[in-house]
Amino acid sequence: MTKRRPAVVVLAAGRGSRFRGSGHKLEQHLDGMPGADTLLARSLRHAIATQLPVVVVTTPALAPAVHKLVAARDVVTLSERDAQGMGHSIVAGVSATGDADGWLILPADMPLVQPATILAVAHGLERYPVCYAQYRGIQGHPVGFGTELYSELMALQGDEGARRIVARYAAQPIAVDDPGVLVDVDTEEDLARLTASTR
């Protein structure tokens, strides 16, 4: 039997409004030095390393940075008007990969999630309709959805993420030895902690 190949939907269309530093948070360098990976680049490198299909949902402002790493056919650029929350981004990513064997939702501001973790959740979709990475009992990302949930994912709106679907279908945890599943960057303080931990 051929293993299922869900698509990794990388969400990079948020405004990052809690980040008060200069520029968008996803364009910040991981170790604070020009030439190092940005948050966006590291997240995309890890997704691409899985060799699963990858689609990136982004905005016009970030699209040039995405295009440096991902083929144009794998980029969905939302207008600023359409980039109105996680729900819209998930709908855009899922609709662009409607023929995939499920979807793994991965925010682009989580650059420490390891390729092996993404693959572990992908394998989880062979047994469960909804599953997620879990580290030491705490739910993290990515979250995986099977093809049977296509219609429900496509019905998401605005800032509504997929939490309701996760709760409704008794999502299954996939235990991973990867603390990165819990680490996202929302503020300058988050970035400073991340930079210190990667040096």
Side-chain angles (χ1 to χ4, degrees):
M1 184 175 116
T2 306
K3 281 198 178 295
R4 297 176 72 178
R5 287 177 51 77
V8 184
V9 178
V10 180
L11 305 180
R15 292 195 176 93
S17 56
R18 290 173 57 194
F19 189 84
R20 303 293 183 201
S22 60
H24 196 286
K25 68 180 182 179
L26 293 179
E27 295 187 293
Q28 303 300 311
H29 294 279
L30 271 174
D31 68 357
M33 299 291 290
D37 271 351
T38 61
L39 298 183
L40 176 64
R42 182 69 58 84
S43 295
L44 291 181
R45 286 186 204 287
H46 286 175
I48 291 165
T50 65
Q51 299 186 349
L52 293 171
V54 174
V55 65
V56 185
V57 182
T58 192
T59 60
L62 287 172
V66 175
H67 282 290
K68 291 178 183 175
L69 294 155
V70 179
R73 70 176 182 275
D74 299 323
V75 180
V76 177
T77 304
L78 300 179
S79 69
E80 295 296 341
R81 181 175 57 81
D82 289 333
Q84 298 295 326
M86 188 177 288
H88 283 293
S89 293
I90 292 172
V91 168
V94 170
S95 64
T97 54
D99 59 348
D101 295 327
W103 301 273
L104 304 172
I105 308 301
L106 181 66
D109 63 359
M110 301 188 72
L112 300 186
V113 176
Q114 296 302 305
T117 294
I118 300 171
L119 287 170
V121 178
H123 295 322
L125 286 179
E126 295 172 14
R127 297 180 310 238
Y128 310 115
V130 184
C131 57
Y132 57 85
Q134 177 176 278
Y135 177 70
R136 294 187 177 177
I138 304 174
Q139 179 176 342
H141 280 87
V143 181
F145 299 92
T147 53
E148 58 267 51
L149 296 173
Y150 176 82
S151 296
E152 294 207 35
L153 291 168
M154 292 299 293
L156 295 175
Q157 297 178 354
D159 279 330
E160 176 192 22
R163 282 195 181 97
R164 176 178 51 80
I165 302 174
V166 170
R168 181 174 175 189
Y169 287 91
Q172 295 297 311
I174 305 298
V176 293
D177 186 18
D178 180 1
V181 306
L182 308 178
V183 178
D184 65 346
V185 176
D186 288 324
T187 65
E188 301 95 300
E189 291 77 20
D190 293 340
L191 179 63
R193 277 193 296 274
L194 183 63
T195 297
S197 72
T198 57
R199 279 186 173 148

Short mmCIF file of all heavy atoms in Angstrom, two decimals, residues 1-9 52 100-105 117-133 142-149 153 169 171-174:
data_model
loop_
_atom_site.label_atom_id
_atom_site.label_comp_id
_atom_site.label_asym_id
_atom_site.label_seq_id
_atom_site.Cartn_x
_atom_site.Cartn_y
_atom_site.Cartn_z
N MET A 1 0.83 -1.19 0.00
CA MET A 1 0.00 0.00 0.00
C MET A 1 0.88 1.25 0.00
O MET A 1 1.84 1.35 0.75
CB MET A 1 -0.88 -0.02 1.25
CG MET A 1 -1.86 1.12 1.33
SD MET A 1 -2.92 0.90 2.79
CE MET A 1 -2.44 2.32 3.72
N THR A 2 0.54 2.21 -0.85
CA THR A 2 1.29 3.45 -0.93
C THR A 2 0.99 4.33 0.28
O THR A 2 -0.17 4.49 0.66
CB THR A 2 0.91 4.22 -2.21
OG1 THR A 2 1.08 3.36 -3.32
CG2 THR A 2 1.79 5.44 -2.38
N LYS A 3 2.03 4.87 0.87
CA LYS A 3 1.81 5.75 2.02
C LYS A 3 1.10 7.03 1.56
O LYS A 3 1.35 7.53 0.47
CB LYS A 3 3.15 6.11 2.67
CG LYS A 3 3.70 5.01 3.54
CD LYS A 3 4.76 5.56 4.46
CE LYS A 3 5.30 4.50 5.39
NZ LYS A 3 4.33 3.98 6.31
N ARG A 4 0.23 7.53 2.43
CA ARG A 4 -0.47 8.77 2.11
C ARG A 4 0.52 9.93 2.13
O ARG A 4 1.46 9.96 2.92
CB ARG A 4 -1.60 9.00 3.11
CG ARG A 4 -2.66 7.93 3.04
CD ARG A 4 -3.72 8.11 4.11
NE ARG A 4 -4.59 9.24 3.81
CZ ARG A 4 -5.63 9.60 4.57
NH1 ARG A 4 -5.90 8.92 5.66
NH2 ARG A 4 -6.38 10.62 4.24
N ARG A 5 0.26 10.90 1.25
CA ARG A 5 1.14 12.07 1.17
C ARG A 5 0.32 13.35 1.36
O ARG A 5 -0.09 14.00 0.39
CB ARG A 5 1.86 12.10 -0.18
CG ARG A 5 2.95 11.03 -0.27
CD ARG A 5 3.61 11.01 -1.64
NE ARG A 5 4.07 12.31 -2.11
CZ ARG A 5 5.18 12.93 -1.69
NH1 ARG A 5 5.93 12.36 -0.76
NH2 ARG A 5 5.52 14.10 -2.19
N PRO A 6 0.06 13.68 2.61
CA PRO A 6 -0.66 14.93 2.85
C PRO A 6 0.20 16.14 2.48
O PRO A 6 1.43 16.04 2.41
CB PRO A 6 -0.94 14.90 4.36
CG PRO A 6 0.11 14.01 4.92
CD PRO A 6 0.41 13.00 3.85
N ALA A 7 -0.44 17.24 2.23
CA ALA A 7 0.27 18.48 1.92
C ALA A 7 0.54 19.25 3.21
O ALA A 7 -0.30 19.27 4.12
CB ALA A 7 -0.55 19.33 0.97
N VAL A 8 1.69 19.88 3.27
CA VAL A 8 2.03 20.77 4.38
C VAL A 8 1.57 22.18 3.99
O VAL A 8 2.08 22.74 3.02
CB VAL A 8 3.53 20.76 4.70
CG1 VAL A 8 3.82 21.64 5.92
CG2 VAL A 8 4.04 19.35 4.91
N VAL A 9 0.62 22.71 4.72
CA VAL A 9 0.12 24.06 4.45
C VAL A 9 0.79 25.01 5.45
O VAL A 9 0.49 24.98 6.65
CB VAL A 9 -1.42 24.13 4.59
CG1 VAL A 9 -1.91 25.56 4.35
CG2 VAL A 9 -2.09 23.16 3.61
N LEU A 52 7.28 16.08 1.37
CA LEU A 52 5.84 16.11 1.15
C LEU A 52 5.51 17.33 0.30
O LEU A 52 6.30 18.27 0.22
CB LEU A 52 5.10 16.21 2.49
CG LEU A 52 5.21 15.02 3.43
CD1 LEU A 52 4.63 15.37 4.80
CD2 LEU A 52 4.52 13.80 2.86
N ALA A 100 -4.70 16.52 -2.37
CA ALA A 100 -3.73 15.93 -1.43
C ALA A 100 -4.40 14.86 -0.58
O ALA A 100 -5.62 14.80 -0.46
CB ALA A 100 -3.14 17.02 -0.54
N ASP A 101 -3.56 14.02 0.03
CA ASP A 101 -4.05 12.97 0.95
C ASP A 101 -4.16 13.52 2.37
O ASP A 101 -3.64 12.94 3.31
CB ASP A 101 -3.11 11.77 0.94
CG ASP A 101 -3.07 11.07 -0.41
OD1 ASP A 101 -4.11 11.04 -1.09
OD2 ASP A 101 -1.99 10.57 -0.77
N GLY A 102 -4.80 14.66 2.52
CA GLY A 102 -4.90 15.30 3.81
C GLY A 102 -4.01 16.53 3.88
O GLY A 102 -3.30 16.86 2.92
N TRP A 103 -4.05 17.20 5.04
CA TRP A 103 -3.34 18.48 5.19
C TRP A 103 -2.72 18.58 6.57
O TRP A 103 -3.32 18.19 7.57
CB TRP A 103 -4.31 19.65 4.96
CG TRP A 103 -4.92 19.57 3.61
CD1 TRP A 103 -4.41 20.07 2.44
CD2 TRP A 103 -6.12 18.87 3.24
NE1 TRP A 103 -5.22 19.74 1.39
CE2 TRP A 103 -6.27 19.01 1.85
CE3 TRP A 103 -7.07 18.16 3.97
CZ2 TRP A 103 -7.35 18.45 1.16
CZ3 TRP A 103 -8.14 17.60 3.29
CH2 TRP A 103 -8.27 17.76 1.90
N LEU A 104 -1.51 19.12 6.61
CA LEU A 104 -0.81 19.39 7.86
C LEU A 104 -0.69 20.91 7.98
O LEU A 104 -0.05 21.54 7.13
CB LEU A 104 0.58 18.76 7.86
CG LEU A 104 0.63 17.26 7.60
CD1 LEU A 104 2.08 16.81 7.43
CD2 LEU A 104 -0.04 16.49 8.72
N ILE A 105 -1.33 21.48 8.97
CA ILE A 105 -1.33 22.93 9.13
C ILE A 105 -0.16 23.34 10.02
O ILE A 105 -0.04 22.89 11.17
CB ILE A 105 -2.66 23.42 9.75
CG1 ILE A 105 -3.86 22.86 8.97
CG2 ILE A 105 -2.68 24.93 9.82
CD1 ILE A 105 -3.91 23.23 7.51
N THR A 117 9.15 15.42 12.85
CA THR A 117 7.89 15.65 13.55
C THR A 117 6.75 15.81 12.55
O THR A 117 5.66 15.25 12.72
CB THR A 117 8.00 16.91 14.44
OG1 THR A 117 8.94 16.64 15.47
CG2 THR A 117 6.67 17.30 15.02
N ILE A 118 6.99 16.59 11.51
CA ILE A 118 5.97 16.78 10.47
C ILE A 118 5.61 15.44 9.85
O ILE A 118 4.43 15.12 9.66
CB ILE A 118 6.49 17.77 9.40
CG1 ILE A 118 6.81 19.13 10.03
CG2 ILE A 118 5.46 17.92 8.27
CD1 ILE A 118 7.53 20.10 9.11
N LEU A 119 6.61 14.61 9.60
CA LEU A 119 6.36 13.29 9.02
C LEU A 119 5.61 12.38 10.00
O LEU A 119 4.76 11.58 9.59
CB LEU A 119 7.67 12.64 8.60
CG LEU A 119 8.32 13.24 7.35
CD1 LEU A 119 9.73 12.70 7.17
CD2 LEU A 119 7.47 12.96 6.12
N ALA A 120 5.89 12.50 11.29
CA ALA A 120 5.19 11.69 12.28
C ALA A 120 3.70 11.99 12.29
O ALA A 120 2.86 11.09 12.37
CB ALA A 120 5.79 11.92 13.67
N VAL A 121 3.35 13.27 12.18
CA VAL A 121 1.94 13.64 12.13
C VAL A 121 1.33 13.18 10.80
O VAL A 121 0.19 12.72 10.76
CB VAL A 121 1.76 15.16 12.35
CG1 VAL A 121 0.30 15.56 12.25
CG2 VAL A 121 2.32 15.56 13.72
N ALA A 122 2.09 13.27 9.72
CA ALA A 122 1.61 12.76 8.43
C ALA A 122 1.27 11.28 8.53
O ALA A 122 0.22 10.83 8.05
CB ALA A 122 2.66 13.00 7.34
N HIS A 123 2.13 10.51 9.19
CA HIS A 123 1.87 9.08 9.36
C HIS A 123 0.64 8.85 10.25
O HIS A 123 -0.09 7.88 10.07
CB HIS A 123 3.09 8.37 9.95
CG HIS A 123 4.28 8.39 9.04
ND1 HIS A 123 4.19 8.24 7.67
CD2 HIS A 123 5.61 8.52 9.31
CE1 HIS A 123 5.40 8.30 7.14
NE2 HIS A 123 6.27 8.48 8.11
N GLY A 124 0.44 9.75 11.20
CA GLY A 124 -0.73 9.64 12.06
C GLY A 124 -2.03 9.70 11.29
O GLY A 124 -3.03 9.08 11.67
N LEU A 125 -2.03 10.43 10.17
CA LEU A 125 -3.24 10.53 9.35
C LEU A 125 -3.61 9.22 8.67
O LEU A 125 -4.71 9.09 8.13
CB LEU A 125 -3.08 11.64 8.30
CG LEU A 125 -3.17 13.07 8.82
CD1 LEU A 125 -2.96 14.06 7.69
CD2 LEU A 125 -4.49 13.32 9.53
N GLU A 126 -2.70 8.27 8.68
CA GLU A 126 -3.04 6.96 8.14
C GLU A 126 -3.99 6.21 9.08
O GLU A 126 -4.65 5.26 8.67
CB GLU A 126 -1.77 6.15 7.91
CG GLU A 126 -0.87 6.76 6.83
CD GLU A 126 0.48 6.06 6.73
OE1 GLU A 126 0.63 4.95 7.28
OE2 GLU A 126 1.38 6.64 6.11
N ARG A 127 -4.05 6.67 10.35
CA ARG A 127 -4.91 6.00 11.35
C ARG A 127 -6.04 6.87 11.87
O ARG A 127 -7.06 6.36 12.30
CB ARG A 127 -4.05 5.56 12.55
CG ARG A 127 -2.98 4.54 12.20
CD ARG A 127 -2.20 4.18 13.46
NE ARG A 127 -1.76 5.37 14.17
CZ ARG A 127 -0.49 5.63 14.45
NH1 ARG A 127 0.45 4.80 14.10
NH2 ARG A 127 -0.17 6.71 15.09
N TYR A 128 -5.84 8.19 11.87
CA TYR A 128 -6.81 9.09 12.50
C TYR A 128 -7.24 10.18 11.53
O TYR A 128 -6.43 10.66 10.73
CB TYR A 128 -6.18 9.76 13.73
CG TYR A 128 -5.51 8.82 14.69
CD1 TYR A 128 -4.14 8.88 14.90
CD2 TYR A 128 -6.25 7.86 15.38
CE1 TYR A 128 -3.50 8.02 15.79
CE2 TYR A 128 -5.62 6.99 16.28
CZ TYR A 128 -4.25 7.08 16.46
OH TYR A 128 -3.63 6.22 17.34
N PRO A 129 -8.50 10.64 11.64
CA PRO A 129 -8.93 11.75 10.78
C PRO A 129 -8.32 13.09 11.18
O PRO A 129 -8.14 13.97 10.35
CB PRO A 129 -10.45 11.76 10.93
CG PRO A 129 -10.73 11.07 12.23
CD PRO A 129 -9.61 10.09 12.43
N VAL A 130 -8.02 13.23 12.48
CA VAL A 130 -7.39 14.46 12.98
C VAL A 130 -6.33 14.06 14.01
O VAL A 130 -6.59 13.24 14.89
CB VAL A 130 -8.41 15.40 13.66
CG1 VAL A 130 -7.73 16.71 14.06
CG2 VAL A 130 -9.60 15.67 12.76
N CYS A 131 -5.13 14.62 13.88
CA CYS A 131 -4.08 14.34 14.86
C CYS A 131 -3.16 15.55 14.95
O CYS A 131 -3.18 16.44 14.10
CB CYS A 131 -3.31 13.07 14.51
SG CYS A 131 -2.53 13.06 12.89
N TYR A 132 -2.35 15.57 15.99
CA TYR A 132 -1.47 16.72 16.19
C TYR A 132 -0.21 16.27 16.92
O TYR A 132 -0.20 15.25 17.62
CB TYR A 132 -2.18 17.81 17.00
CG TYR A 132 -2.70 17.35 18.33
CD1 TYR A 132 -1.89 17.33 19.46
CD2 TYR A 132 -4.02 16.92 18.47
CE1 TYR A 132 -2.36 16.91 20.69
CE2 TYR A 132 -4.51 16.49 19.69
CZ TYR A 132 -3.67 16.49 20.80
OH TYR A 132 -4.15 16.05 22.01
N ALA A 133 0.85 17.06 16.75
CA ALA A 133 2.09 16.80 17.46
C ALA A 133 1.91 17.17 18.93
O ALA A 133 1.31 18.19 19.26
CB ALA A 133 3.23 17.61 16.86
N PRO A 142 2.65 20.52 13.92
CA PRO A 142 1.48 20.73 13.08
C PRO A 142 0.26 19.94 13.55
O PRO A 142 0.37 19.02 14.37
CB PRO A 142 1.94 20.24 11.71
CG PRO A 142 2.93 19.16 12.03
CD PRO A 142 3.65 19.64 13.27
N VAL A 143 -0.90 20.36 13.00
CA VAL A 143 -2.14 19.62 13.19
C VAL A 143 -2.51 19.03 11.84
O VAL A 143 -2.46 19.72 10.82
CB VAL A 143 -3.27 20.53 13.71
CG1 VAL A 143 -4.54 19.73 13.92
CG2 VAL A 143 -2.84 21.22 15.00
N GLY A 144 -2.85 17.74 11.83
CA GLY A 144 -3.16 17.05 10.58
C GLY A 144 -4.65 16.78 10.44
O GLY A 144 -5.32 16.45 11.42
N PHE A 145 -5.14 16.89 9.21
CA PHE A 145 -6.55 16.63 8.90
C PHE A 145 -6.63 15.71 7.69
O PHE A 145 -5.98 15.95 6.67
CB PHE A 145 -7.28 17.94 8.58
CG PHE A 145 -7.29 18.91 9.72
CD1 PHE A 145 -6.29 19.87 9.83
CD2 PHE A 145 -8.27 18.86 10.69
CE1 PHE A 145 -6.27 20.76 10.89
CE2 PHE A 145 -8.26 19.74 11.76
CZ PHE A 145 -7.26 20.69 11.86
N GLY A 146 -7.46 14.68 7.80
CA GLY A 146 -7.67 13.75 6.71
C GLY A 146 -8.59 14.32 5.64
O GLY A 146 -9.27 15.33 5.85
N THR A 147 -8.62 13.66 4.49
CA THR A 147 -9.39 14.15 3.35
C THR A 147 -10.88 14.23 3.65
O THR A 147 -11.60 15.05 3.07
CB THR A 147 -9.19 13.25 2.12
OG1 THR A 147 -9.47 11.89 2.51
CG2 THR A 147 -7.76 13.32 1.62
N GLU A 148 -11.37 13.41 4.58
CA GLU A 148 -12.80 13.42 4.90
C GLU A 148 -13.24 14.74 5.54
O GLU A 148 -14.44 15.01 5.65
CB GLU A 148 -13.17 12.24 5.80
CG GLU A 148 -12.42 12.17 7.10
CD GLU A 148 -11.16 11.31 7.05
OE1 GLU A 148 -10.33 11.52 6.14
OE2 GLU A 148 -11.00 10.44 7.92
N LEU A 149 -12.27 15.57 5.95
CA LEU A 149 -12.60 16.85 6.59
C LEU A 149 -12.46 18.03 5.64
O LEU A 149 -12.50 19.19 6.06
CB LEU A 149 -11.74 17.05 7.83
CG LEU A 149 -12.01 16.00 8.92
CD1 LEU A 149 -11.03 16.13 10.06
CD2 LEU A 149 -13.43 16.13 9.44
N LEU A 153 -13.00 22.03 6.61
CA LEU A 153 -11.88 22.98 6.52
C LEU A 153 -12.24 24.14 5.59
O LEU A 153 -11.92 25.30 5.88
CB LEU A 153 -10.62 22.27 6.03
CG LEU A 153 -9.99 21.28 7.01
CD1 LEU A 153 -8.94 20.44 6.30
CD2 LEU A 153 -9.38 22.00 8.21
N TYR A 169 -13.73 16.18 16.55
CA TYR A 169 -13.33 14.85 16.08
C TYR A 169 -12.36 14.14 17.01
O TYR A 169 -11.69 13.20 16.61
CB TYR A 169 -12.74 14.95 14.67
CG TYR A 169 -13.81 15.20 13.64
CD1 TYR A 169 -14.17 16.49 13.29
CD2 TYR A 169 -14.50 14.13 13.07
CE1 TYR A 169 -15.19 16.72 12.37
CE2 TYR A 169 -15.51 14.36 12.14
CZ TYR A 169 -15.85 15.65 11.81
OH TYR A 169 -16.85 15.87 10.92
N ALA A 171 -9.38 14.72 18.30
CA ALA A 171 -8.07 14.62 17.67
C ALA A 171 -7.11 13.78 18.52
O ALA A 171 -7.12 13.86 19.74
CB ALA A 171 -7.49 16.01 17.46
N GLN A 172 -6.27 13.01 17.85
CA GLN A 172 -5.34 12.11 18.52
C GLN A 172 -3.94 12.74 18.62
O GLN A 172 -3.43 13.26 17.62
CB GLN A 172 -5.24 10.79 17.75
CG GLN A 172 -6.53 10.01 17.74
CD GLN A 172 -6.94 9.57 19.12
OE1 GLN A 172 -6.15 9.02 19.87
NE2 GLN A 172 -8.20 9.82 19.47
N PRO A 173 -3.33 12.68 19.79
CA PRO A 173 -1.97 13.20 19.92
C PRO A 173 -0.95 12.23 19.32
O PRO A 173 -1.10 11.02 19.42
CB PRO A 173 -1.78 13.31 21.43
CG PRO A 173 -2.70 12.27 22.00
CD PRO A 173 -3.87 12.19 21.07
N ILE A 174 0.05 12.79 18.68
CA ILE A 174 1.20 12.03 18.19
C ILE A 174 2.39 12.49 19.01
O ILE A 174 2.88 13.62 18.85
CB ILE A 174 1.45 12.28 16.68
CG1 ILE A 174 0.18 12.00 15.85
CG2 ILE A 174 2.63 11.45 16.20
CD1 ILE A 174 -0.32 10.58 15.89
#
